[in-house]
Structures are given as C-alpha cells and as structure tokens.
C-alpha cells in the first residue's frame, strides 16, 4: 500500500480535478451563458404600404424611436446568434410585424436580446384594426412618438414608457410593470394590478375614459379644460383632484368640474388617486 502511494502520489488530486472538470462542463450545459450581445440583424423595411404595427415579444427589451429616413429600420442584438431564436421581422397584409421565437430556445440557455425600431418621422398607423399593437411579457417597452388610430399596449412585468403619443383610442394593460404615458389621447382605458399608472395629456380627452388598478397608484395630469365628471372609488387609497378640490383619505363618489362634458373614472383598491393641472 505504501508502494502504491509512492508510485501515484498525485492520483487523488488528478481524480479530483477530473471530477470537478466534469461537473463544470455539466453546469455549463445548464447555465448556457451566451456571452455579450452582438448585432444579429440590422435591416430596413419599406414603410410605403404599412398601415398597422404588430409586435409580440417575451423577454426582449423594446425601444422605438423616430428617424429622418423613409423606411423602418430594425436593429436586433442578441447573445444567441442562431436565427431561430431572435425575433422574426416581416410585413404582411399591410402590417409591420415582429414576432418572438423564444419558444425555440433550449431549456438552460441564457437569452439576452434587445430590439430597436427606427420609425419614419410622421408615420401614422392608420389601421383601425391593428393601429399600434405591442405585447411583452417581461421585457420593457420604451417608445417615442407613437401615432395611430388606436394604440394597444400590454405587458406583464416589464415597464411601459411612451412619450409623445397621439391616438384616438388608447388601451394599456399591465400586471406589475409601471405605465408612464404622455401625449394626446382622445379616449383611454387603462388597467394595472400592482404597477403604478402615470398619464400626462397635452390635450383634454374627449370621450369617457377609465383607469383601474388594485394596488398601483394613479396619477393623471390634464390641461385646463371645459369640464369633466370625476368618478372615483377606493377602499384605502387617498383621492385628490386639483380641478374639483376633492381631497379625501378613501371612499367613492363623483365630483364635477365646470360643465360635465366627459367623464373620468378612477378605481383602485389601495392605490392613491391624483388628478392635477398641468
């Protein structure tokens, strides 16, 4: 036994190194770290026939900006370069589409992807069916200068921020992600579970509109206007309206400012409600 120890003094060390090395390889299979992101797509698409936008993502971050060119430009960066993994971009039936493909990614692979869309200045999504329709699960949505007949925004946990929006109808829904929207909206229907809602309008809305949350706060900023009815309902959240002078710790009721042209309905279980002048 002593002779064996003399012949192979480092045998235990070698075996230990091999075992650890094998474990390391095994862990790397499940970890699937793909490294830094690289540009996997940088392409332009004609905007000539496009009347609607439809974007459906899962974990990808989304940035939308305007540029002086006449075509759409899409830049996608990903740590996984296989084209079966990053979003598909296409134009079909006058609709510009971006579709997620994360269902194809093997379990254990780390996925980090960002999508940036450059939209021609002055573009309006004229489709009354699609308009702008953007859906995301956990990735954020950050957009500027969205203009269309209707705008639909949906997110589960990623935040949604839209500056300089212009639309006849806004529909926005989130579970835990916050909603921050500013611009001109004629009518809106917004729902959030725990994410806060902040809406700042440059023009007074013209059709009856509503915001509902469970625990998320509601903050609405309006310009001076000809009047509206504020209908509110909270269980434990406070209510403050700088137009009507309403200020209470909780409860429900209605308050009218000037003439009752349109109504604003705010409903929250525990979130605070604030309506202020710009």
């Amino acid at each position: 036994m002593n002779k064996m120890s003399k012949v192979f003094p480092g045998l235990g060390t070698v075996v230990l190194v091999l075992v650890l090395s094998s474990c390391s390889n095994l862990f790397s299979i499940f970890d699937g770290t793909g490294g830094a992101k690289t540009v996997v797509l940088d392409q332009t698409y004609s905007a000539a026939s496009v009347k609607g936008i439809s974007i459906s993502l899962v974990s990808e971050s989304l940035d939308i900006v305007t540029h002086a060119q006449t075509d759409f430009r899409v830049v996608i960066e990903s740590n996984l370069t296989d084209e079966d993994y990053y979003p598909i971009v296409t134009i079909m039936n006058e609709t510009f589409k971006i579709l997620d493909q994360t269902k194809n990614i093997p379990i254990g692979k780390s996925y980090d992807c960002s999508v940036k869309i450059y939209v021609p200045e002055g573009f309006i999504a004229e489709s009354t069916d699609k308009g702008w329709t953007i859906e995301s699960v956990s990735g954020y949505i950050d957009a500027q200068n969205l203009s269309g007949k209707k705008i639909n925004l949906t997110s589960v946990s990623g935040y949604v921020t839209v500056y300089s929006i212009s639309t006849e109808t806004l529909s926005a829904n989130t579970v835990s992600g916050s909603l921050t929207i500013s611009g001109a909206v004629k009518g809106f229907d917004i729902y959030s579970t725990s994410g806060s809602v902040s809406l700042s309008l440059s023009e007074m809305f013209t059709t009856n509109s509503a915001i509902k949350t469970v625990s998320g706060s509601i903050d609405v900023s309006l310009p001076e206007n000809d009047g509206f009815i504020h209908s509110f309902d909270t269980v434990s959240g406070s209510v403050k309206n700088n137009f009507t002078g309403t200020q209470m710790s909780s409860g429900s009721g209605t308050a009218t400012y000037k003439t009752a042209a349109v109504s604003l309905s705010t409903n929250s279980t525990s979130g605070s409600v604030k309506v202020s002048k710009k």
Side-chain angles (χ1 to χ4, degrees), residues 117-140:
I117 305 172
Y118 296 83
V119 180
E121 290 180 354
F123 172 80
I124 300 174
E126 298 177 347
S127 170
T128 56
D129 177 35
K130 291 292 183 184
W132 281 90
T133 299
I134 305 174
E135 300 176 351
S136 178
V137 178
S138 59
Y140 71 75

Side-chain angles (χ1 to χ4, degrees), residues 35-49:
K37 290 189 295 184
T38 59
V39 175
V40 294
L41 179 72
D42 186 344
Q43 191 167 327
T44 59
Y45 302 83
S46 174
S49 62

Side-chain angles (χ1 to χ4, degrees), residues 45-46 50-55 72-74 89-98 117 123 132:
Y45 302 83
S46 174
V50 174
K51 294 184 178 180
I53 309 289
S54 179
I55 302 171
F72 291 102
R73 179 188 172 198
V74 179
V89 184
T90 185
I91 296 177
M92 184 182 300
N93 298 326
E94 300 183 321
T95 302
F96 179 81
K97 297 183 177 183
I98 299 182
I117 305 172
F123 172 80
W132 281 90

Side-chain angles (χ1 to χ4, degrees), residues 168-278:
E168 294 181 4
T169 304
L170 168 65
S171 175
N173 295 273
T174 184
V175 177
S176 59
S178 62
L179 286 165
T180 304
I181 299 170
S182 65
V185 180
K186 292 185 178 180
F188 51 88
D189 188 359
I190 300 173
Y191 177 81
S192 174
T193 302
S194 59
S196 62
V197 175
S198 177
L199 178 66
S200 178
L201 299 184
S202 57
E203 301 175 7
M204 186 58 182
F205 62 96
T206 56
T207 60
N208 296 342
S209 299
I211 301 177
K212 183 177 181 179
T213 71
V214 177
S215 59
S217 61
I218 298 173
D219 192 339
V220 181
S221 180
L222 303 173
E224 181 54 63
N225 56 83
D226 294 331
F228 65 99
I229 297 176
H230 181 201
S231 173
F232 52 87
D233 186 3
T234 70
V235 176
S236 60
S238 62
V239 179
K240 183 177 182 180
N241 188 323
N242 291 335
F243 288 93
T244 63
T246 304
Q247 188 163 350
M248 54 195 301
S249 57
S250 62
S252 60
T254 59
T256 302
Y257 178 64
K258 294 184 179 179
T259 59
V262 290
S263 68
L264 168 64
S265 173
T266 58
N267 186 306
S268 180
T269 301
S270 58
S272 61
V273 176
K274 182 180 180 181
V275 181
S276 58
K277 293 183 180 182
K278 289 181 71 70

Side-chain angles (χ1 to χ4, degrees), residues 80 84-86 101-111:
L80 302 180
D84 291 333
Y85 301 156
Y86 57 83
Q101 292 196 108
T102 53
K103 65 181 183 296
N104 297 330
I105 300 175
I107 295 175
K109 276 190 176 292
S110 174
Y111 181 60

Side-chain angles (χ1 to χ4, degrees), residues 18-44:
L18 290 173
V19 170
L20 291 176
S21 177
S22 298
C23 289
S24 176
N25 292 333
L26 181 63
F27 291 148
S28 67
I29 292 174
F30 288 98
D31 177 57
T33 303
K37 290 189 295 184
T38 59
V39 175
V40 294
L41 179 72
D42 186 344
Q43 191 167 327
T44 59

